[in-house]
Amino acid sequence: MAEILFEIGTEEIPARFMKQTLSEIEATSKEKFAEARIVYKDLTVRSTPRRLVLQVHGVSATTEAAKEVFKGPAAKAAYDESGNFSRAAIGFAKSKGLEAADLKIADIAGGQYLVAEVVKDGQAVEGLLPAILKELAVSLSFPKNMYWKEKTTKFARPVRWLVALFDDHIIPFEFAGLATSRFSRGHRFMGSKNVQLDFATDYDRKMKENFVITDPAERAKMILSGVADIEKKLGARVSVDPDLLHENVHLNEYPVPFLGTFDKEFLTIPQEVSILSMATNQKYFPVTDDKGKLMPYFVGVSNNIAKDMSVVQDGNERVLRARLYDALFFWDEDAKRSLDEMAESLKKVTYQQQLGSLYDKVQRVKKIALFLAEQLNLNISGDILSRACDLSKADLVSNMVYEFSDVQGVMGREYARRAGEKEEVALALYEQYLPKQAGGELPTQIYGALLGLAERFDTLVSIYKIGAEPTSQADPYGLRRAARTINELVWGLNLDVNLTEVFDFASDLLHLEGDRLDKLVLFIKQRTQIQLKERGLVQSSITLASETQAMKPLQFLKMASVFTKNANDKWFEDLITAAVRVRNIVLKQSVLSDVVDEGVFVLDEEKKLFGELKNADMSADKAIVLCDWETLAKIMSEMSPVITDFFDKVLVMDKDEAIKQNRLALLKACDSFFGKIGNFSLLKQN
């Protein structure tokens, strides 16, 4: 069994490219090896900032033999009148490199045809690899490409060397103006510029000898191990954000964690700003005490084992100190203006050319937020909510947010606290942006939730007004995220919002035309159904609940959840079948009476159905008004066997016209009952 090594050496590739790239290399490699019928034991894809590496272990010397079956003429055309093979049969066999006698007859799609079975022998794998590996390199795509010599070759970063080995043989081909060889390169500072690989199996050992750790998982362990040692030494906690860990893993070929410090005077800055400056600009991990309070330390990751690590530490401390001095300056400068002054200056900031200023948007958001509070009948302070709305975007014109855009909301909260605003107001300025990602932290109090909902409702209506709604290629205003966040807030905080009322109110503020509002409503319904599907609810239950509750997302979720629990029960399936049958019968009748005459009933089953229907009708009305979906499901479960029994025992189209019309009137009443729940016909389509 052989070993394949393919290494593309480059200038440093951005860390954010790596996840997609490694996944693409693995998927494409497996696909191409499968197409070529190359048998191997396992395949690994690894990387460092300067290299992409494919290793295939336990490779067979030859490809698998394969048998292909080709369909030919119909069997009845295989022979002529003399019983000899026909010209069609001979020609078909010849086209496949066979004699007519080698053909067989097979049943295909209900008919008999001549078939040719062609066996392809295995090929030497080594001869196929140059084309396969070159195709792999050429096929790789990146979020952004560069070209450095000829515009015909593009890659994430300039390619500097290529290694391609099949055991000890070079796999010869050219890519990006370079020929493959057996020479790799070690660490940029600590390794050799030329690392000769006599065998593909030498690669891992020789890379480590040259301070290159090609396995990202191993580099992550090195970082976490160093962090753990620092935590133990300090008696503190190092906050390791997974995304920041990923970035450090893919920024270093040989990661070396180190501890740095900064002056305590910088602890007066809101810690989110300091942490953001450390993480975003310097890729440092912050250090906190056991209560989560920032301490004057940081953990950096060096790509070099320096002779004196204090030199590395000092250099990084100087860079961070400069960044924190900037933040401290902005913090002090912003203190010279009140939040009201900042809010007033929003009049000079354009939200969108057709939609006016950011100040105009804030005023609309305020009206929507107060409308929501009234709609939900919340016992809250209108003054606090109004104040939070007025100040909601003030921090966007602060020096701090201009420099560190990710701390919007954080700075609003801190400036409000510093100005002595009520804590509910300050917290709302931060929590209006929650959740920041799917499944993220929700607001802890209602003011921030209302502010966040109102802002997203205004954004949806505003963007649909100007016709810039999402397409399959783009969503520049983040409307999919806005719709998702609205539902997460409604579901997470149990807010029974009526979207129809809210959109009507917000549309009046912006004079949104009816056809655009219809498009917006359809968009919201579709996004909600997608989210419910992601939560594991069955499509039939979502479809049924959407008939009556699509514009009340909390009830949509609850109703669909109850139906999902019953979706596989026999009574539920039987009820769907009966409801669809009722609808089909009713729709075929041109005229039906609205009155059911009990005196015309002949059979017990129709009497029982009518009695059950009267009880169910009233009970269902009450359950729907109260949004008591468990009770509604119980009513449906009790109705199911009764109507099923009716169809088993009763002939609707009786010869007696009076009996027939009365039974049809009964089914019309049943159809009316089912219509309160939803269109069951859609479930049959699903």
Side-chain angles (χ1 to χ4, degrees), residues 7 9 46-53 55 161 184-193 195 202-216 218-219 222 249 252-255 303-305:
E7 180 188 55
R46 295 177 176 176
S47 71
T48 76
R50 299 178 67 215
R51 65 198 79 219
L52 302 171
V53 185
Q55 293 171 289
W161 74 91
S184 182
R185 299 185 188 180
H187 190 281
R188 188 181 289 277
F189 307 114
M190 299 185 292
S192 172
K193 292 184 178 179
V195 179
D202 293 343
Y203 183 75
D204 290 343
R205 175 178 56 83
K206 289 204 171 184
M207 286 299 100
K208 287 188 176 181
E209 288 174 356
N210 283 272
F211 300 95
V212 174
I213 308 300
T214 59
D215 185 359
E218 187 175 347
R219 296 201 300 278
M222 292 172 68
V249 164
N252 300 281
E253 290 199 310
Y254 196 91
N303 189 34
N304 191 8
I305 304 176

Side-chain angles (χ1 to χ4, degrees), residues 250-537:
H250 291 288
L251 285 173
N252 300 281
E253 290 199 310
Y254 196 91
V256 181
F258 64 90
L259 177 66
T261 64
F262 58 87
D263 296 336
K264 291 184 179 180
E265 67 174 307
F266 297 124
L267 294 177
T268 60
I269 305 169
Q271 70 178 45
E272 289 90 346
V273 175
S274 300
I275 290 171
L276 181 68
S277 182
M278 291 181 204
T280 302
N281 302 111
Q282 309 307 132
K283 316 307 176 190
Y284 301 152
F285 300 107
V287 179
T288 63
D289 61 20
D290 56 2
K291 295 181 180 178
K293 187 176 180 181
L294 187 66
M295 299 176 70
Y297 304 101
F298 67 89
V299 175
V301 181
S302 171
N303 189 34
N304 191 8
I305 304 176
K307 292 180 180 178
D308 184 357
M309 286 301 293
S310 65
V311 175
V312 174
Q313 178 183 336
D314 289 343
N316 281 272
E317 288 175 350
R318 283 197 302 273
V319 173
L320 179 60
R321 188 179 301 116
R323 297 290 301 178
L324 294 180
Y325 267 126
D326 287 343
L328 185 59
F329 172 77
F330 296 140
W331 174 244
D332 292 338
E333 281 295 298
D334 287 337
K336 298 175 182 178
R337 286 197 299 166
S338 70
L339 276 174
D340 287 301
E341 289 174 322
M342 292 182 188
E344 186 70 16
S345 65
L346 293 175
K347 292 179 178 179
K348 300 177 182 178
V349 179
T350 300
Y351 168 54
Q352 203 279 340
Q353 189 173 6
Q354 301 175 60
L355 297 169
S357 69
L358 200 51
Y359 181 87
D360 296 330
K361 179 178 177 64
V362 167
Q363 297 310 305
R364 292 195 304 270
V365 168
K366 179 179 177 179
K367 292 176 182 177
I368 296 171
L370 291 169
F371 175 81
L372 279 169
E374 182 180 351
Q375 184 203 68
L376 295 170
N377 196 27
L378 298 173
N379 184 23
I380 62 173
S381 168
D383 290 341
I384 290 177
L385 181 58
S386 294
R387 183 62 175 163
C389 291
D390 286 337
L391 302 180
S392 60
K393 303 302 177 186
D395 66 341
L396 297 186
V397 295
S398 67
N399 291 297
M400 191 74 85
V401 174
Y402 182 82
E403 181 69 16
F404 304 100
S405 60
D406 286 352
V407 294
Q408 63 179 8
V410 170
M411 298 318 303
R413 180 192 66 197
E414 296 305 315
Y415 293 145
R417 284 173 173 169
R418 185 164 64 177
E421 296 284 347
K422 292 182 178 179
E423 180 61 18
E424 294 94 334
V425 172
L427 198 56
L429 301 187
Y430 168 71
E431 294 192 336
Q432 65 178 308
Y433 295 103
L434 302 181
K436 293 185 178 180
Q437 64 277 328
E441 175 191 3
L442 294 173
T444 59
Q445 46 98 345
I446 193 62
Y447 296 104
L450 291 174
L451 183 51
L453 283 169
E455 196 274 333
R456 292 170 178 96
F457 281 128
D458 179 77
T459 297
L460 286 164
V461 174
S462 297
I463 302 308
Y464 266 81
K465 176 181 174 60
I466 64 173
E469 59 265 27
T471 65
S472 57
Q473 286 79 32
D475 182 12
Y477 292 94
L479 299 195
R480 292 188 181 92
R481 180 179 177 184
R484 173 178 288 276
T485 303
I486 286 171
N487 285 330
E488 290 200 6
L489 287 168
V490 166
W491 295 337
L493 301 177
N494 204 40
L495 301 174
D496 201 0
V497 175
N498 186 318
L499 298 184
T500 300
E501 295 177 0
V502 177
F503 282 133
D504 284 346
F505 181 84
S507 296
D508 287 343
L509 295 177
L510 281 156
H511 309 292
L512 182 67
E513 297 176 2
D515 59 333
R516 293 196 180 278
L517 178 57
D518 291 341
K519 290 176 67 176
L520 172 56
V521 167
L522 178 60
F523 170 74
I524 291 294
K525 287 180 178 179
Q526 291 172 340
R527 301 314 302 175
T528 303
Q529 292 197 38
I530 289 170
Q531 282 180 261
L532 292 175
K533 192 73 181 293
E534 291 172 353
R535 283 181 165 234
L537 303 189

